[in-house]
């Protein structure tokens, strides 16, 4: 049985961060379904898209889709990990997560991409 599953999944994309995000959002949308049926429908769309992406054989396209959301996912992970120690923000040019210590006033941050950003810490 395990060998058949391995053979079936060979050449298919599998799971990634976007699929996890789609499944979490479908769970949240289904929790809102008592308010309106639209949320339940949107949750089902998210699940169907996640399943489609998981079994897709167009690996290059799926990786491109995942690469578009990876900066945002890493920003959310950094925000959750931060616990109020530093001010986090995203570079508008390259979408990299930047951090500055809190309480230093207005500072200029130089991103590795060459973009200079003025922010209040
Ligand atoms: Zn940048």
């Amino acid at each position: 049985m395990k060998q058949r599953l391995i053979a079936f999944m060979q050449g298919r994309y599998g799971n990634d961060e976007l699929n996890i995000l789609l499944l979490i959002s479908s769970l949240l949308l289904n929790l809102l379904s008592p308010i309106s049926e639209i949320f339940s429908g949107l949750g089902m769309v998210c699940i169907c898209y996640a399943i489609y992406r998981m079994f897709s054989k167009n690996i290059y396209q799926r990786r491109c889709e995942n690469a578009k959301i990876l900066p945002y996912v890493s920003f959310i992970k950094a925000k959750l990990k931060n616990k109020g120690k530093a001010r986090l923000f995203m570079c508008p040019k390259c979408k990299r997560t930047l951090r500055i210590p809190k309480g230093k006033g207005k500072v200029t941050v130089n991103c590795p991409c060459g973009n200079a950003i003025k922010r209040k810490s």
Side-chain angles (χ1 to χ4, degrees), residues 91 94 111 113:
C91 173
C94 69
C111 181
C113 72

Side-chain angles (χ1 to χ4, degrees), residues 62-76:
R62 301 293 87 82
R63 281 195 180 147
C64 288
E65 290 168 359
N66 192 45
K68 285 178 188 170
I69 64 118
L70 273 181
Y72 302 102
V73 170
S74 71
F75 182 72
I76 292 168

